[in-house]
Amino acid sequence: MNLAYIPSPSHGVLYLGPIPLRGYAFCIIIGVFVAVWLGNKRWIARGGQSGTVADIAVWAVPFGLVGGRLYHVITDYELYFSEGRDWVDAFKVWEGGLGIWGAIALGALGAWIGARRRGVPMPAYADAVAPGIAFAQAIGRWGNWFNQELYGHETHLPWALHITSSEGGRVPGYYHPTFLYESLWCVGVGLLVIWADRRFKLGHGRAFALYVAAYCAGRGWIEYMRVDDAHHILGVRLNVWTALIVFLLAVTYLVVSAKKRPGREAVVEPGASGGSADGASGGSADGASGGSAEGASGGSAEGTRAVAEGEEKAGDSEESPKDEAESAKKS
């Protein structure tokens, strides 16, 4: 028996009267709020309007939940459609089972729809929300702790996770808390993206690509530790292959994008304060330099000609003393 370990909750659900309060759902909801809050702050700092991130998230979050569930059900279809299983359980999201790969893929589609409706560039939006998504994943992983799922091999380390449930084929004992490893890794990924974005001024989707690559690097070795049932290809878990492929795609995008489109987007949201500030500075500068210069050169030149013409007319209209005397004799 381990003297030090991480205990598992005796129940993953608390009841407020007839209303069930599920720890898994709470972790997902809190994660979404954190992602939107931080994404909004980063979007405003980039020159966007407050509220845009939340408006687009209204599209991204439902799409992400559906995508995450679809990926899980498709890759673990035997849990719901094999003999003795009830296919209705495929809709019970609160019991766990969201694949991050499907959540990001379909969530990106929803975000693209929302961004298109708002008239903002999707890559800039993805950069703004990237670290918030990592922190949301860190929080969401604690939902697995409430459900006593997705743990690793047996261990006697002081931070071993004590599994007490025997439902679903679980064997009570002490295991690697892979949910904790991934949660901490995601926190590190979020901090890495924030630092790199400030240091290198990442733009055009590169902050998001860095988040994807860094997450996949950690997900690969963490996934390899897990002992839950999974499909294997060439003796390697399916999600390890997925992490490897997505990692290579993200790194390729980082390299190619940096060469083709260096720097950041000048304007992330038309009509926002950042754009008006640029317009005010650029417009006033143009007006002060170009407009005033033209007025000073062209206007002063016209004024000089007008004064000269006026003096000539005045000179023609005035008579000299000699001419006055001659006119007096004639009269």
Side-chain angles (χ1 to χ4, degrees):
M1 176 179 179
N2 286 13
L3 296 179
Y5 58 86
I6 301 173
S8 292
S10 57
H11 301 284
V13 184
L14 296 176
Y15 287 89
L16 185 61
I19 302 175
L21 304 177
R22 302 181 184 277
Y24 187 88
F26 266 116
C27 292
I28 298 296
I29 293 171
I30 295 172
V32 169
F33 274 108
V34 169
V36 172
W37 170 78
L38 181 58
N40 184 64
K41 289 176 66 67
R42 286 172 53 81
W43 185 253
I44 294 173
R46 287 287 304 275
Q49 293 181 348
S50 177
T52 297
V53 170
D55 290 344
I56 297 177
V58 170
W59 289 87
V61 173
F63 273 74
L65 291 174
V66 173
R69 190 60 175 176
L70 280 175
Y71 181 89
H72 168 72
V73 172
I74 291 173
T75 56
D76 291 306
Y77 62 89
E78 66 279 355
L79 299 178
Y80 307 100
F81 302 105
S82 60
E83 186 178 354
R85 299 284 186 169
D86 187 357
W87 63 270
V88 176
D89 292 341
F91 297 95
K92 298 179 180 179
V93 180
W94 55 87
E95 293 183 354
L98 291 175
I100 186 61
W101 316 111
I104 294 297
L106 213 57
L109 174 61
W112 178 81
I113 296 174
R116 188 175 179 85
R117 290 170 60 89
R118 290 282 301 199
V120 303
M122 178 61 186
Y125 177 82
D127 285 342
V129 300
I133 294 176
F135 294 140
Q137 288 179 248
I139 297 171
R141 271 307 175 197
W142 285 84
N144 302 133
W145 176 65
F146 280 102
N147 287 353
Q148 297 196 36
E149 59 184 1
L150 306 186
Y151 43 85
H153 299 281
E154 281 193 285
T155 182
H156 296 288
L157 292 170
W159 55 84
L161 175 66
H162 187 199
I163 296 297
T164 59
S165 174
S166 57
E167 296 181 3
R170 298 181 183 90
V171 178
Y174 300 90
Y175 301 89
H176 277 285
T178 51
F179 84 90
L180 178 61
Y181 297 161
E182 187 167 338
S183 180
L184 294 176
W185 183 270
C186 287
V187 171
V189 169
L191 295 176
L192 171 66
V193 174
I194 291 174
W195 171 82
D197 195 24
R198 291 176 178 175
R199 175 68 177 81
F200 302 105
K201 305 298 181 184
L202 301 176
H204 301 287
R206 287 188 288 277
F208 185 81
L210 176 61
Y211 144 72
V212 172
Y215 171 74
C216 289
R219 178 62 185 267
W221 66 266
I222 295 171
E223 181 74 23
Y224 198 75
M225 296 178 65
R226 284 168 42 174
V227 295
D228 53 299
D229 293 333
H231 293 285
H232 289 70
I233 299 177
L234 300 177
V236 179
R237 291 170 68 96
L238 173 61
N239 282 335
V240 175
W241 285 109
T242 305
L244 176 61
I245 294 172
V246 176
F247 171 82
L248 294 175
L249 291 175
V251 172
T252 301
Y253 180 87
L254 271 171
V255 175
V256 174
S257 175
K259 290 182 178 180
K260 288 190 174 182
R261 306 187 70 183
R264 275 182 173 177
E265 297 88 346
V267 178
V268 298
E269 186 169 7
S273 57
S276 61
D278 294 339
S281 60
S284 60
D286 293 342
S289 58
S292 60
E294 292 176 359
S297 59
S300 59
E302 293 178 0
T304 302
R305 287 195 296 270
V307 171
E309 291 175 358
E311 290 177 349
E312 290 178 1
K313 292 180 180 180
D316 293 340
S317 62
E318 292 181 355
E319 295 181 321
S320 65
K322 183 177 180 180
D323 293 336
E324 291 179 358
E326 291 180 355
S327 61
K329 289 179 181 180
K330 291 179 181 180
S331 62

